[in-house]
């Protein structure tokens, strides 16, 4: 039987904006741990599988089926080394011939997927003129590593892949990063790293159904797949497994990253309130981004797992709006050659591509992020 959790462990289990931990709560959690016994061991086992299970994706049927098709489309496969020596698998798909060239795209898939899962998305973007670099997360597909780190280490791999693309002459910065679920956590976390550079290389980001943090992600997954498992038992077990892997929940927290970001971010998710989607968490991230352009596209009637694949065609009009903002922000050749028909301020299927910074908006800007008295913004609601 494991030792009861310390007060520090109980504090670590809470959200950043929750009230302080009371002594009675610490005693309550300690009693739960003492009673859990074998249940706590199961929680630790679940946490370990969450980190290590993705190695099974190397046997994915989708991976085997899509790989030759992508190669027939002109894709090239390879592996490069991350900064810590972990091999990272990638697939480069060149832009379609005969269409004007657009900005390069670096794409990361979700947990228990591979880069080939999003082959159709890559083909769509390549058909629009984007050179696309599909990447396997650590411990997935062609990539190595002892376990997946949910963006903690993967965020640094983004720079390695951009360096590779520049070295091979596939595309030059500025680039647009795209990620689904854990991949979305990776590309959002990388924005904070990219801001530290003298010249940031990411011009915009498409975040498909990201979780706010690993802590919130585990709680969502439990509520969706195993609501009868006691949350406190599961969370304590997963926390211990994560700690044994040298990670912490706090390292996966995205709220401050999004709050401080000025570059355009397009969010997409399933409907809010549906336990099979991350709509509630994505909406929270969207509302936290009050600096610069952002948009939230809700895809009705789909589960979380379809947002990055089957639902992508519904997101394309807003992708064009994101590109319009990217073109507005940068003068690099990769952006200047982008012939997107969407102009700043245009209507894109009822969504206004407003490029003005928050300081230039209506003086009666409200806490719900909508300018008072602006009927266009009020009717759109999710576009800023």
């Amino acid at each position: 039987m494991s030792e009861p959790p310390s007060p520090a462990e109980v504090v670590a289990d809470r959200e950043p904006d929750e009230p302080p931990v009371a002594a009675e709560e610490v005693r309550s959690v300690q009693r739960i741990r003492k009673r859990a016994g074998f249940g706590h061991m199961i929680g630790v086992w679940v946490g370990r599988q969450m980190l290590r299970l993705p190695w099974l994706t190397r046997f994915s049927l989708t991976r085997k089926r899509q790989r030759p098709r992508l190669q027939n489309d002109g894709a090239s496969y390879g592996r490069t080394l991350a900064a810590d020596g972990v091999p990272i698998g990638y697939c480069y798909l060149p832009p379609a011939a005969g269409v004007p060239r657009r900005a390069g795209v670096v794409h990361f898939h979700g947990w228990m997927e591979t880069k080939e899962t999003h082959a159709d998305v890559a083909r769509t973007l390549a058909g629009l003129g984007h050179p696309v670099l599909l990447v396997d997360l650590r411990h997935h597909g062609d990539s190595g590593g002892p376990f997946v780190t949910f963006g903690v280490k993967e965020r640094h791999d983004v720079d390695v892949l951009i360096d590779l693309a520049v070295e091979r002459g596939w595309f030059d910065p500025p680039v647009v990063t795209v990620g689904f679920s854990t991949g979305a956590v990776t590309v959002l976390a990388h924005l904070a790293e990219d801001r530290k550079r003298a010249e940031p290389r990411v011009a915009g980001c498409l975040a498909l159904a990201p979780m706010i943090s690993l802590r919130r992600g585990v709680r969502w997954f439990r509520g969706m797949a195993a609501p009868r498992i006691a949350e406190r038992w599961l969370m304590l077990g997963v926390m211990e497994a994560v700690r044994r892997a040298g990670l912490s929940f706090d390292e996966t927290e995205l709220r401050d990253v999004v709050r401080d970001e000025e570059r355009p971010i397009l969010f997409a998710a399933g409907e809010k309130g549906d336990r099979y989607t991350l709509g509630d968490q994505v909406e929270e991230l969207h509302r936290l981004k009050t600096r610069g352009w952002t948009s939230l596209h809700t895809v009705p009637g789909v589960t979380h797992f379809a947002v990055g694949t089957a639902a992508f065609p519904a997101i394309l009009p807003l992708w064009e709006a994101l590109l319009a903002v990217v073109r507005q922000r940068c003068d690099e050749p990769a952006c200047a050659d982008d012939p997107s028909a969407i102009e700043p301020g245009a209507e894109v299927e009822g969504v206004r591509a407003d490029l003005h910074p928050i300081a230039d908006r209506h003086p009666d800007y409200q806490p719900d992020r909508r300018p008072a008295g602006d009927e266009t913004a009020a009717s759109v609601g999710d576009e800023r």
Side-chain angles (χ1 to χ4, degrees):
M1 185 180 299
S2 302
E3 289 296 320
S6 66
E9 289 180 295
V10 178
V11 171
D13 184 34
R14 302 176 70 84
E15 293 295 316
D17 52 359
E18 285 186 273
V21 176
E24 178 55 35
E25 180 177 359
V26 174
R27 289 191 290 270
S28 174
V29 175
Q30 289 174 336
R31 288 194 296 269
I32 290 173
R33 172 73 73 83
K34 288 180 179 179
R35 291 197 304 267
F38 188 67
H40 177 63
M41 295 173 60
I42 293 177
V44 175
W45 181 86
V46 170
R48 289 177 62 84
Q49 300 314 305
M50 180 182 67
L51 297 175
R52 300 181 184 276
L53 197 61
W55 73 272
L56 291 173
T57 57
R58 68 185 64 180
F59 306 111
S60 165
L61 295 178
T62 300
R63 179 170 174 255
K64 294 181 179 180
R65 184 177 65 251
Q66 288 287 0
R67 186 169 187 137
R69 295 179 184 178
L70 284 166
Q71 290 173 325
N72 288 337
D73 293 335
S76 57
Y77 275 77
R79 295 209 297 179
T80 188
L81 294 180
D84 58 356
V86 171
I88 305 296
Y90 64 83
C91 170
Y92 169 67
L93 185 63
V99 296
R101 190 179 181 92
R102 290 181 166 187
V105 173
V106 182
H107 185 291
F108 286 82
H109 59 80
W111 183 73
M112 290 300 294
E113 293 183 336
T114 68
K115 53 189 179 298
E116 289 82 8
T117 306
H118 299 262
D120 289 339
V121 172
R123 292 189 186 98
T124 299
L125 294 175
L128 295 173
H130 297 281
V132 182
L133 191 57
L134 294 170
V135 186
D136 275 330
L137 293 168
R138 291 176 176 230
H139 205 57
H140 289 76
D142 293 325
S143 292
F147 43 77
V148 62
T149 69
F150 293 93
V152 175
K153 295 184 178 179
E154 289 86 353
R155 71 186 71 183
H156 303 291
D157 299 339
V158 182
D159 281 322
V160 173
L161 272 299
I162 296 176
D163 291 339
L164 177 70
V166 173
E167 177 185 331
R168 298 288 177 87
W170 294 335
F171 52 80
D172 292 316
V175 305
V176 179
T177 53
V178 179
F180 164 67
S181 193
T182 303
V185 172
T186 296
V187 296
L188 288 173
H190 171 257
L191 291 176
E193 301 299 321
D194 196 51
R195 282 200 301 264
K196 300 174 184 177
R197 304 178 70 96
E199 295 184 7
R201 302 191 293 182
V202 176
C205 179
L206 169 57
L208 302 167
M211 56 187 174
I212 288 177
S213 66
L214 181 55
R215 178 188 291 110
R216 290 284 294 274
V218 171
R219 283 175 170 157
W220 167 77
F221 188 81
R222 169 198 164 272
M224 177 194 67
R228 294 188 178 182
I229 295 179
E231 177 179 307
R232 192 63 88 173
W233 290 9
L234 179 63
M235 289 300 300
L236 288 171
V238 173
M239 283 178 62
E240 186 165 320
V242 169
R243 183 169 58 248
R244 290 178 184 178
L247 308 173
S248 76
F249 282 154
D250 292 339
E251 293 178 283
T252 64
E253 176 64 50
L254 288 179
R255 276 176 279 208
D256 288 341
V257 173
V258 171
R259 188 183 289 113
D260 295 338
E261 186 54 56
E262 296 182 355
R263 284 167 292 184
I265 301 177
L266 169 58
F267 294 98
E271 294 176 284
K272 178 182 178 181
D274 186 337
R275 73 171 184 165
Y276 295 102
T277 77
L278 283 170
D280 300 72
Q281 295 190 42
V282 177
E283 180 176 299
E284 183 177 344
L285 288 173
H286 168 65
R287 291 195 175 278
L288 283 172
K289 190 180 186 308
T290 57
R291 306 176 65 181
W293 186 93
T294 185
S295 179
L296 170 62
H297 180 63
T298 299
V299 186
V302 301
T303 67
H304 166 76
F305 307 99
V307 174
T309 52
F312 191 77
I315 299 169
L316 276 178
L318 284 168
W319 171 261
E320 296 292 342
L322 173 65
L323 291 184
V325 186
V326 169
R327 293 172 61 203
Q328 178 88 355
R329 288 180 58 90
C330 63
D331 298 322
E332 298 293 332
C335 295
D337 293 342
D338 181 359
S340 172
I342 307 300
E343 297 298 329
E347 291 287 337
V348 185
E349 290 197 353
V351 180
R352 182 167 174 265
D354 185 3
L355 307 183
H356 299 296
I358 194 168
D360 298 335
R361 296 177 186 162
H362 197 281
D364 295 329
Y365 197 71
Q366 299 297 308
D368 67 355
R369 313 299 195 264
R370 300 178 186 178
D374 187 337
E375 295 182 359
T376 302
S379 63
V380 172
D382 285 330
E383 180 74 15
R384 299 196 292 279

